Amino acid sequence: MNLSALRQDFILHFGEMGSRWGINRTVGQVYALLFLADDPLCADDIVAALGFSRSNVSMALKELQSWNLVRLRHKTDDRREFFTTPDDLWEIVRTLIDQRRKREIDPTLTKLRELSMTTPDAADAAAHARIAELRELIEQMTRFHDDLARFETERLVALLNMGAKLGRLVDGAGRLIPIRRTKT
Amino acid sequence: MNLSALRQDFILHFGEMGSRWGINRTVGQVYALLFLADDPLCADDIVAALGFSRSNVSMALKELQSWNLVRLRHKTDDRREFFTTPDDLWEIVRTLIDQRRKREIDPTLTKLRELSMTTPDAADAAAHARIAELRELIEQMTRFHDDLARFETERLVALLNMGAKLGRLVDGAGRLIPIRRTKT
DNA sequence: TATAGATTTCAGAAATTACTGAAATCACGG
DNA sequence: CCGTGATTTCAGTAATTTCTGAAATCTATA
């Protein structure tokens, strides 16, 4: 398979960015290829398009599945596995945020809770307090994320578009500005 | 310098998580050490505490400065450089978000804009549209981030604490629910 | 401008991570 | 349960990243 300049450019960029995003080049390129593909692709399609070894592609697909970033599809009378990315970009964003939280934040929160439980000696009092403060901040942010994660996409997008207007709900000291709802 | 069990545990955790956060073990441990330290530390303090080579610590500090995660301090009549982390955790969170955006998102946005400018041939029409859709979504999110970044911390925390209540501003279809403000 | 302490640079060693090809395993149709 | 094609595993190699020690550079002061 030979790729258009547009696809090549996009795919190479994702390969290069991979390391910054916590995935490797192969995984980045495979994802980019699937993201732009007009139809589901099987592992050998990916090998043909990108030139990685079959086993490397297999690993990359496994990794993408563990991130929940690709969907497995089957065609009738074909036992190969085909892969796609979700059409809905917001679904992809939600998945990315969920997964990064799970990998980058949750283990630290667990550790901070564990450390918060201990009783520090005098020399560690300030450090212990700082750990507790960090734990509380992360708990606050994850609670907020849990709240937002329950919203429908439309509601989320609407809030996003409000942007700076959201600031009018509270004053600079963080006090809620009382509002009264009119009938809709 | 020998570290308490509390500090050791915290520092080792940050070292291990480093790779997931896009920094290396040394940088992670140096940051954790500074984060808990009661007073500013100089490079040799860090060498004594963590056992890395002097040059490695120098690199790590340079890296942390490039992330804007540490502050440089001087003591009178001492020409060594001392380092601290900001006391305000929200300042740290803002820095982390800014820096990750700069490293992980902005280069991709630039690339997507570049690719959006091209005129695709027929076979790339769908891929080009998908790239444009992704670009728009990222632009929307970064605009939102720009808006929020201007808020005072208190305002931000208040919004965070509103959590699910924010959903009441818009209905499930993303339409704004008209509100009328009462006098404060 | 010489010197002494502090910091940085850099080439190579060590450690880690990514990638491959071959062999093993799996899964379905006959 | 055998054969065929698809997929995964795994041991070894390649590539990359991290870390060190020595040398170079910087900077304040005498």
Side-chain angles (χ1 to χ4, degrees):
Chain A
M1 193 194 291
N2 65 0
L3 296 162
S4 68
L6 179 77
R7 286 170 205 256
Q8 287 239 359
D9 203 351
F10 182 85
I11 289 167
L12 289 177
H13 177 82
F14 269 56
E16 282 160 15
M17 293 299 289
S19 54
R20 302 200 192 184
W21 296 336
I23 58 177
N24 64 35
R25 188 172 58 110
T26 313
V27 174
Q29 290 197 14
V30 169
Y31 184 79
L33 178 70
L34 290 172
F35 182 84
L36 294 187
D38 296 324
D39 301 295
L41 302 180
C42 72
D44 285 318
D45 294 336
I46 297 169
V47 168
L50 304 180
F52 295 115
S53 72
R54 183 64 184 70
S55 57
N56 196 8
V57 168
S58 177
M59 295 291 213
L61 288 169
K62 218 177 96 179
E63 174 85 355
L64 286 171
Q65 284 176 284
S66 87
W67 278 81
N68 209 21
L69 280 172
V70 295
R71 304 256 164 280
L72 188 52
R73 306 277 292 273
H74 281 99
K75 294 188 179 176
T76 46
D77 289 333
D78 191 330
R79 41 185 163 95
R80 289 173 300 175
E81 298 184 316
F82 288 79
F83 296 87
T84 58
T85 60
D87 285 332
D88 177 7
L89 295 191
W90 285 103
E91 185 186 335
I92 295 175
V93 170
R94 284 175 194 266
T95 301
L96 279 171
I97 294 174
D98 284 352
Q99 293 288 330
R100 290 191 81 150
R101 171 177 160 182
K102 193 173 297 172
R103 289 154 202 259
E104 301 182 6
I105 298 183
D106 289 355
T108 297
L109 189 50
T110 300
K111 172 60 72 180
L112 295 177
R113 283 175 172 151
E114 177 197 323
L115 295 176
S116 284
M117 302 278 275
T118 64
T119 311
D121 59 26
D124 278 340
H128 188 268
R130 194 135 166 88
I131 287 171
E133 193 191 359
L134 180 59
R135 175 183 54 72
E136 279 155 25
L137 181 144
I138 295 177
E139 282 173 345
Q140 191 171 29
M141 294 201 309
T142 55
R143 257 196 317 273
F144 184 68
H145 170 245
D146 288 338
D147 284 347
L148 290 200
R150 288 196 199 90
F151 290 173
E152 310 88 329
T153 297
E154 286 68 26
R155 207 182 282 261
L156 225 41
V157 172
L159 286 172
L160 214 64
N161 283 330
M162 283 182 69
K165 292 197 188 75
L166 283 173
R168 298 189 196 150
L169 298 174
V170 286
D171 67 21
R175 283 183 297 265
L176 289 179
I177 294 172
I179 55 174
R180 194 170 62 218
R181 226 171 292 289
T182 60
K183 294 195 199 79
T184 49
Chain B
M1 192 193 294
N2 64 2
L3 296 162
S4 68
L6 179 77
R7 283 170 207 255
Q8 286 239 358
D9 204 350
F10 182 85
I11 289 167
L12 289 177
H13 177 82
F14 269 55
E16 283 160 14
M17 293 299 289
S19 55
R20 300 198 195 184
W21 296 336
I23 58 176
N24 65 34
R25 189 171 59 109
T26 313
V27 175
Q29 290 197 13
V30 169
Y31 184 78
L33 178 70
L34 290 172
F35 182 83
L36 294 188
D38 297 324
D39 301 294
L41 302 180
C42 73
D44 284 319
D45 294 335
I46 297 170
V47 168
L50 303 179
F52 295 116
S53 72
R54 182 65 183 73
S55 56
N56 197 8
V57 168
S58 176
M59 295 291 212
L61 287 169
K62 218 176 97 178
E63 173 85 354
L64 285 171
Q65 285 176 283
S66 87
W67 277 81
N68 209 22
L69 280 171
V70 294
R71 305 256 164 281
L72 188 53
R73 306 277 292 274
H74 281 99
K75 295 188 181 179
T76 45
D77 288 333
D78 190 331
R79 53 186 221 256
R80 289 174 299 175
E81 298 185 315
F82 288 79
F83 296 88
T84 59
T85 60
D87 285 332
D88 177 7
L89 295 192
W90 284 104
E91 185 186 336
I92 296 175
V93 170
R94 284 174 193 266
T95 302
L96 279 171
I97 293 174
D98 283 351
Q99 293 289 330
R100 290 191 78 151
R101 171 177 160 182
K102 194 174 299 175
R103 288 154 202 258
E104 301 182 6
I105 297 183
D106 289 354
T108 296
L109 189 49
T110 301
K111 172 60 74 177
L112 295 176
R113 283 175 173 152
E114 176 197 324
L115 295 176
S116 284
M117 303 279 274
T118 65
T119 309
D121 60 27
D124 277 341
H128 187 269
R130 195 139 166 83
I131 287 170
E133 193 191 359
L134 180 59
R135 175 183 55 72
E136 279 156 24
L137 181 144
I138 295 176
E139 282 172 346
Q140 190 171 28
M141 295 200 310
T142 54
R143 257 196 317 272
F144 184 68
H145 170 246
D146 289 339
D147 284 347
L148 291 199
R150 287 195 199 91
F151 290 174
E152 311 87 329
T153 297
E154 288 67 27
R155 207 181 282 259
L156 224 42
V157 172
L159 287 172
L160 214 64
N161 284 330
M162 284 184 68
K165 291 197 188 76
L166 283 174
R168 298 189 197 148
L169 298 175
V170 285
D171 67 21
R175 284 183 296 266
L176 290 178
I177 294 172
I179 56 176
R180 194 171 61 219
R181 227 171 292 284
T182 60
K183 296 193 196 81
T184 51

